Amino acid sequence: MSLFDHSIKELEAKLHNKEITVSDLVDESYKRIHEVEDKVHAFLTLDEENARRKAEELDATEDAGAKLFGIPAGIKDNIVTKGLRTTCASQFLRNFDDPLYDATVVEKLNAEKIVNIGKLNMDEFAMGSSNENSSFTPTRNPWNINHVPGGSSGGSAAAVAAGEVLFSLGSDTGGSIRQPAAFCGVVGLKPTYGLVSRFGLVAFASSLDQIGPLTRSVEDNARVLEVIAGHDKMDSTSANVEIPSYTEALTGDVKGLKIAVPKEYLAEGVNPEVREAVLEALKVYESLGATWEEVSLPHSKYAVATYYLLSSSEASANLARFDGVRYGVRSENAENMVDMFKKSRSEGFGEEVKRRIMLGTFALSSGYYDAYYKKAQKVRTLIKNDFDKIFEEYDVVIGPTTPTPAFKVGEKIDDPLTMYANDILTIPVNLAGVPGISIPCGFSPEGLPIGLQIIGKHFDENTVYRAAHAYEQATDHHTKRPQIGGAN
């Protein structure tokens, strides 16, 4: 039995009682990485020397109440880490070897004595749903390496599913934590917008981006959120709200919980095995004393178009800073300054990033702003109002995380519209700014995980966690592990 088959809470107890050392955990992490990384490709940068040095230092100290003392973790490569290469999986930042500061979430994790194992692969600048847009190498799904792990936080989900780290951080702009969590059979939370600081997160779409944890269990996820949540003066969108003890909400009791199930989330386009897994999950909730009713989120059908207009518009503004002047790769073929801007961006950015910059620049341009960007903002308000209305009567909204299990590598990469539609069930959550979690709820006939999405009210992560934990404890989906490279 691997040490990583224990929960974070159990490992903390073992560390406290001197049954194991932090060095044991770090050894376990790198041993597993050396066993499977050539198949999974979850990491872009490993920090083995510093990780082992930190483990030795922690072994010589007391835990002193640190919440994540000695726990090995991975960080998505668009979250800045001081002195450790941060590339956003882009050739534009392939030489960004020595960032000068840590993101706020990294500072908070370091304060609780985690050990950073390395930086995790992703779709370039977080733009993608399969991890195939990484400019270095695509990550593979640990359950079947011929399938994608999801994106853009595919490396973050795959590393946890493959047992390389105990938890990871990802970022979620339109489903980029929850969708890969569903594809890889792990737990992934997109917190309420503003709950977790974005300072040090390389911006894609600033009104949508949110950092969140990926773990093997709901309890582990809640423990990590307790550490990274909270107000940050360095982030103007950070909410100054009280952070409760999320782990105390994990009572297993959901009697009287009122669940809304949007008919749009089980409509045409959702695979029969996914629909069946969700309906079976609802039966579990009924057996636990919860009730559910079908509802409608009528404006959700406009969510994908709204999202891609807004996110691409914000991306075109955010990525204007990558021009070859201040940092990143500068073209060596330029003859003048304008030429340098053009060629640095042409050579540095991948096709998907260029596609979204061009779409966003068009939507913001004179003569088109009102017709596209402004109208998309109005529809975003309607989508948020749909959720507000539902939450007047119900505690949570439940449905599938994705319409299908993980698809094969190369199956959709040449069809951007089909790829975009893959996020149809996760995007409304980002547009509304509410929290959403994906937890395992079954497997396809091919042995690929299926995810259940639980959506809550603004800043009500406690209820989301309570509902997720009760289902998890009543089932055994979260206990299953992939046979990497073998048959599942």
Side-chain angles (χ1 to χ4, degrees):
M1 181 178 181
S2 167
L3 286 173
F4 282 24
D5 286 325
H6 294 281
S7 69
I8 290 175
K9 182 178 180 180
E10 289 168 344
L11 291 174
E12 286 174 343
K14 288 179 177 293
L15 287 166
H16 185 74
N17 295 330
K18 308 295 184 186
E19 296 174 38
I20 59 172
T21 65
V22 177
S23 293
D24 291 336
L25 291 177
V26 172
D27 286 344
E28 187 96 3
S29 180
Y30 283 110
K31 178 178 177 239
R32 183 63 172 167
I33 287 169
H34 294 317
E35 287 173 353
V36 304
E37 187 59 16
D38 63 330
K39 301 180 186 72
V40 177
H41 304 293
F43 284 89
L44 289 177
T45 303
L46 291 169
D47 197 23
E48 187 166 358
E49 184 179 339
N50 286 325
R52 292 190 182 281
R53 184 185 304 118
K54 185 170 183 180
E56 291 174 3
E57 291 172 0
L58 293 177
D59 284 335
T61 64
E62 294 296 323
D63 55 31
K67 289 186 177 179
L68 297 170
F69 183 86
I71 302 299
I75 309 294
K76 188 176 179 180
D77 205 30
N78 61 343
I79 300 172
V80 175
T81 44
K82 185 176 180 180
L84 183 61
R85 190 171 77 138
T86 301
T87 70
C88 296
S90 176
Q91 292 302 306
F92 210 114
L93 289 175
R94 66 179 183 268
N95 63 352
F96 191 31
D97 294 325
D98 195 20
L100 298 177
Y101 67 97
D102 279 323
T104 297
V105 289
V106 176
E107 282 187 351
K108 289 187 171 190
L109 290 175
N110 286 337
E112 297 297 335
K113 311 299 184 186
I114 66 115
V115 179
N116 182 11
I117 296 301
K119 303 300 288 293
L120 293 160
N121 203 1
M122 55 184 284
D123 286 295
E124 184 182 3
F125 283 103
M127 298 181 189
S129 303
S130 67
N131 221 265
E132 293 169 285
N133 290 330
S134 169
S135 74
F136 295 97
T137 183
T139 299
R140 302 300 182 113
N141 192 317
W143 290 91
N144 186 326
I145 58 175
N146 295 317
H147 290 247
V148 302
S152 62
S153 305
S156 299
V160 174
E164 296 176 301
V165 289
L166 264 300
F167 75 90
S168 65
L169 292 188
S171 66
D172 193 311
T173 308
S176 289
I177 289 173
R178 289 158 291 146
Q179 187 248 24
F183 279 7
C184 292
V186 297
V187 178
L189 175 84
K190 196 284 296 183
T192 304
Y193 183 79
L195 184 69
V196 177
S197 172
R198 292 186 300 109
F199 181 72
L201 172 68
V202 179
F204 163 17
S206 303
S207 74
L208 298 161
D209 298 340
Q210 192 65 177
I211 296 171
L214 293 105
T215 58
R216 279 185 169 174
S217 72
V218 174
E219 181 187 52
D220 285 357
N221 206 279
R223 291 175 79 83
V224 177
L225 186 65
E226 285 178 357
V227 171
I228 63 173
H231 181 251
D232 178 19
K233 64 181 181 181
M234 302 297 288
D235 176 5
S236 62
T237 61
S238 176
N240 195 357
V241 295
E242 185 178 345
I243 305 303
S245 173
Y246 297 117
T247 50
E248 289 182 5
L250 309 181
T251 61
D253 181 12
V254 289
K255 284 181 181 151
L257 187 79
K258 296 183 70 177
I259 299 169
V261 180
K263 62 183 180 182
E264 293 83 1
Y265 284 24
L266 293 173
E268 185 180 353
V270 176
N271 272 25
E273 63 257 36
V274 172
R275 186 183 296 110
E276 185 61 30
V278 171
L279 293 174
E280 286 299 317
L282 292 170
K283 290 179 184 177
V284 172
Y285 277 110
E286 286 180 330
S287 71
L288 295 172
T291 59
W292 67 274
E293 293 177 354
E294 188 178 84
V295 299
S296 178
L297 292 170
H299 295 98
S300 60
K301 62 185 175 183
Y302 305 117
V304 172
T306 300
Y307 168 82
Y308 279 99
L309 276 169
L310 295 178
S311 64
S312 296
S313 297
E314 293 182 24
S316 75
N318 279 325
L319 270 64
R321 72 193 71 181
F322 299 100
D323 54 14
V325 177
R326 290 170 287 270
Y327 48 82
V329 172
R330 178 182 296 186
S331 175
E332 297 177 358
N333 305 315
E335 297 179 4
N336 54 53
M337 186 175 70
V338 173
D339 208 28
M340 182 195 71
F341 290 158
K342 282 182 178 178
K343 290 191 173 180
S344 294
R345 290 168 70 78
S346 295
E347 295 167 13
F349 290 141
E351 291 303 310
E352 182 61 29
V353 175
K354 291 176 189 174
R355 184 182 291 119
R356 298 199 196 193
I357 288 174
M358 292 184 71
L359 172 62
T361 303
F362 174 79
L364 292 175
S365 61
S366 177
Y368 298 99
Y369 178 89
D370 286 349
Y372 294 105
Y373 183 78
K374 191 173 179 181
K375 184 171 284 187
Q377 289 285 28
K378 290 179 178 179
V379 177
R380 179 181 189 169
T381 300
L382 295 175
I383 291 169
K384 177 187 176 296
N385 291 344
D386 285 348
F387 278 105
D388 290 344
K389 186 176 179 181
I390 294 297
F391 285 131
E392 287 175 5
E393 296 184 43
Y394 299 91
D395 299 307
V396 292
V397 172
I398 287 182
T401 308
T402 59
T404 68
F407 46 89
K408 286 186 175 180
V409 174
E411 189 176 321
K412 298 183 180 181
I413 191 65
D414 294 324
D415 186 356
L417 292 179
T418 301
M419 187 76 82
Y420 295 169
N422 197 65
D423 294 331
I424 192 168
L425 302 175
T426 52
I427 280 172
V429 175
N430 297 79
L431 292 171
V434 293
I437 197 170
S438 178
I439 57 174
C441 72
F443 293 86
S444 72
E446 295 78 29
L448 293 165
I450 295 171
L452 182 75
Q453 183 174 211
I454 304 170
I455 304 164
K457 304 172 186 176
H458 287 99
F459 301 107
D460 192 16
E461 276 76 3
N462 261 346
T463 301
V464 172
Y465 276 137
R466 180 164 62 92
H469 180 257
Y471 174 80
E472 181 185 77
Q473 296 307 300
T475 58
D476 65 353
H477 306 304
H478 67 290
T479 64
K480 296 189 166 51
R481 302 287 181 259
Q483 300 296 317
I484 300 169
N488 283 297

